[in-house]
Amino acid sequence: MIENPPSSVDVVLPCLDEAEALPWVLERIPPGWRAIVVDNGSRDGSPRIARESGAHVVHEPRRGFGAACHAGLTAATADVVCFCDCDASLDPGLLPTVAGPVLDGAADLVLGRRRPTARDAWPVHARLANLELARLVRRRTGLRLHDLGPMRAARREALLDLGLTDRRSGYPLQMVVRAADARWRVTETDVPYHPRTGRSKVTGTWRGTWQAVRDMRAVLAERPAAAVAGAGVEGGAR
């Protein structure tokens, strides 16, 4: 039996009842890259669909976006890891643009800045919450970011060294804050943002959005780590 060669990049796809979107998402994973679908308790057959589409499936019983993302990061083996939502709102085919600066050594963390393609792609309340969080991140870290989008890329070992602990909606923010504390070079690049397939578990409701905001405020209230291992490179989008 011939083993598949190791992938150059692993793509972590947190998944909760995304059966309708999964085929489109997985067929757009860049050639040679490995899709890691982290099932977070789906009841619609998502794990089966992912497996039949060739993805590596990880099961994370603890509910929470951060729990799913971190399970995927732990399961990854490639040097560079990307994260992407599994609801077809973001095109995995664009991940090489996001990961490129990390692969080239020009950046330590790259975020996809979401650019809505339609009015219903990003609810008003979610946009307002995102703007407020970007403002708070700038005040806390100095990073001049416009979005804390879920599409991103970084090196696996460096991410693990950040010691991320949030397992809910604050996980993406904690990654950015701790990366800034470690003086990573953090940049962003525009990516189209489409109306998602199915109903959002977070931004689809005011309650879900503001619960996420509360999680993220808790992250922003954390004191900077005395010493955070990481890329060890000064600079960033400041």
Side-chain angles (χ1 to χ4, degrees), residues 98-120:
V98 178
V102 176
L103 290 165
D104 294 342
D108 303 307
L109 174 63
V110 180
L111 309 177
R113 180 185 180 184
R114 291 169 289 185
R115 293 293 198 174
T117 60
R119 293 186 63 180
D120 60 345

Side-chain angles (χ1 to χ4, degrees), residues 16-136:
L16 176 58
D17 294 329
E18 303 291 2
E20 187 177 354
L22 266 172
W24 184 88
V25 170
L26 293 175
E27 72 180 11
R28 299 189 66 78
I29 297 294
W33 293 21
R34 181 174 67 148
I36 301 176
V37 173
V38 185
D39 179 58
N40 204 206
S42 298
R43 297 184 178 182
D44 65 350
S46 289
R48 175 185 55 79
I49 293 172
R51 197 173 292 110
E52 291 175 352
S53 298
H56 176 64
V57 177
V58 174
H59 295 278
E60 173 50 69
R62 292 177 299 170
R63 283 293 182 91
F65 182 77
C69 286
H70 202 71
L73 175 61
T74 303
T77 56
D79 181 42
V80 172
V81 176
C82 292
F83 296 84
C84 184
D85 277 354
C86 205
D87 57 10
S89 62
L90 294 163
D91 183 355
L94 299 177
L95 282 171
T97 301
V98 178
V102 176
L103 290 165
D104 294 342
D108 303 307
L109 174 63
V110 180
L111 309 177
R113 180 185 180 184
R114 291 169 289 185
R115 293 293 198 174
T117 60
R119 293 186 63 180
D120 60 345
W122 204 352
V124 172
H125 58 272
R127 295 193 202 193
L128 293 175
N130 190 70
L131 287 172
E132 174 63 7
L133 285 169
R135 184 186 68 81
L136 293 173

